[in-house]
Every structure is written in C-alpha cells, then in structure tokens.
Amino acid sequence: VPGCEGGLLDSSRTDYCVKQETEQPSMSPTEVGFVPDPDKVLLEYCEGDCDSDADCAENLYCFQRDANEEVPGCIDANLTLPYNYCVNTTDAYKAGHLTVSKIGLLLSEGLDVRAVATYTLPVEYADGGESSIPFHGRPDAGATFPDPRPGNEGGFVYVSNSEMLTANDGGVGAITFDKDGNTIDYQMVLENSTWNCGGGRTPWNTWVSCEESPDG
C-alpha cells in the first residue's frame, strides 16, 4: 500500500485509504491537457478549460473543440480531456467553419473583425480622440499605401472613394493607421466631386479616382 507500513501481511485483501500525491506530473505548457492553477485569472497558451475568449490571456482565443478534435498549435499529448483550450488566433483559424458572429457578420472560426468607421459619425482614434469631420458616405473602390511621413514608420493609409450621388458630395477619404493597425487620423483628400465609383492605385503610390456618369 503506497505510503503505508501496514497491509503488507494482510491476507484479507482489504483496500486502504491513502493520501493523494500532491505533486502532479510535469507537462509542457504547449502540450494539450495542461491545466493551470484554478485560481489563475486568465489562461495562457494551450491551457484549458476555457469557455470564451474572455478566459484567455491577451491575444489568445478560446478554441471550442468538437469532441476530441486536435487543438491547433498545441502538441498532441492528451486529446481525451473534454476541454477547450486557449490558442493563438492564427492557429485557431478554420476556413469555412462559420461559428463567429460579430457586428452583423458571420466569420470563420479564428477570425475577428472591428468597425473602423461609420458614415455620418466621426472616426474614433486609438488615443481617445476623433476626427473633426464625419466619415464619408457610400465608400467604394479603395487601396492601401505605406505612410511615408516621419513619425509613423510602418504605418499605412487606406483611401476609398465616396460614391455620393448628390452633386459635389463625393470625393476620396483617407484613414491613417499606425504599424499596429490603430486608427490615428482621418481626412478627405479629394472633395467636391460626384459619384466617385472606380479608381486605381498607380505605380507612383498615388490614387486615381473616377466619377461615374449615367450619361456615359
């Protein structure tokens, strides 16, 4: 009997109560089946059991398993535990597995989405500020460009046409992002045009906008 001196010569085949081992077998955090201290606030990479993304640490996603499904990005060590695990969002991507519903969109598992701008409302900035003008209506053709301005290294600018049908209400708007994708600026770069539908990015990193006309 483990941990007991008695029982060795007991021929009655009696079962004994013993203390459970306090030390658990060590397991790599990247192995499926690693269960952390239940008092921890957030679960780390390849830890479970999570019920939602809110149970996982920053930049991690709660991978909701189907039965004993493999866990993306985690070593296949123990798939018999009926747990969901926190994984990287890139690991959790499952094309065509439409399980994520957010802001009116249905997305494949592992994807996320956020609203950057809304027509008639100022564009909200990451620092808590907002644009002095509302976001343009009827966004159409668009493209992204690297931001060459000092102070925003690695940042980029997204421009898009405004296909407003009322005369002189169209144009082109530009949202500037930093290298981490945070919104930092919005302004109109072309105004007083109409029906700005098609357009294109030139080899010189400029944008050409075209006005559509019902008369050809």
Side-chain angles (χ1 to χ4, degrees):
V1 179
C4 300
E5 296 181 0
L8 182 60
L9 301 177
D10 188 346
S11 60
S12 66
R13 305 183 63 85
T14 302
D15 295 327
Y16 291 81
C17 294
V18 298
K19 289 185 178 180
Q20 184 177 4
E21 292 289 341
T22 57
E23 292 187 2
Q24 299 297 324
S26 61
M27 184 177 291
S28 167
T30 57
E31 290 182 354
V32 175
F34 180 79
V35 182
D37 183 341
D39 293 330
K40 287 183 63 174
V41 176
L42 295 176
L43 301 173
E44 299 293 339
Y45 184 49
C46 287
E47 291 183 349
D49 179 28
C50 59
D51 295 317
S52 69
D53 295 352
D55 297 328
C56 301
E58 187 177 3
N59 297 324
L60 296 181
Y61 165 86
C62 183
F63 181 73
Q64 304 285 341
R65 299 170 66 203
D66 294 328
N68 291 335
E69 182 180 11
E70 292 187 3
V71 181
C74 301
I75 298 174
D76 185 1
N78 185 352
L79 296 178
T80 60
L81 295 173
Y83 293 157
N84 299 319
Y85 294 89
C86 295
V87 298
N88 289 326
T89 53
T90 52
D91 291 336
Y93 173 59
K94 297 174 65 176
H97 198 80
L98 303 177
T99 62
V100 181
S101 179
K102 195 170 183 181
I103 61 174
L105 299 175
L106 189 60
L107 309 173
S108 292
E109 187 167 325
L111 296 183
D112 196 5
V113 64
R114 66 184 173 99
V116 174
T118 304
Y119 174 47
T120 73
L121 298 179
V123 177
E124 297 181 358
Y125 299 155
D127 63 1
E130 61 181 25
S131 62
S132 59
I133 57 174
F135 185 65
H136 57 273
R138 294 174 61 88
D140 206 288
T144 57
F145 301 84
D147 188 355
R149 294 170 292 185
N152 192 32
E153 289 74 13
F156 58 98
V157 180
Y158 170 67
V159 301
S160 62
N161 285 341
S162 175
E163 195 181 1
M164 297 297 287
L165 305 184
T166 306
N168 302 322
D169 277 352
V172 178
I175 303 179
T176 301
F177 300 86
D178 66 16
K179 61 182 180 61
D180 296 318
N182 297 308
T183 308
I184 60 176
D185 184 59
Y186 170 72
Q187 57 184 294
M188 294 295 292
V189 294
L190 173 65
E191 296 180 284
N192 299 319
S193 53
T194 309
W195 280 30
N196 295 77
C197 183
R201 175 177 175 169
T202 73
W204 306 277
N205 278 336
T206 58
W207 176 254
V208 175
S209 182
C210 303
E211 293 179 289
E212 182 177 338
S213 172
D215 300 325

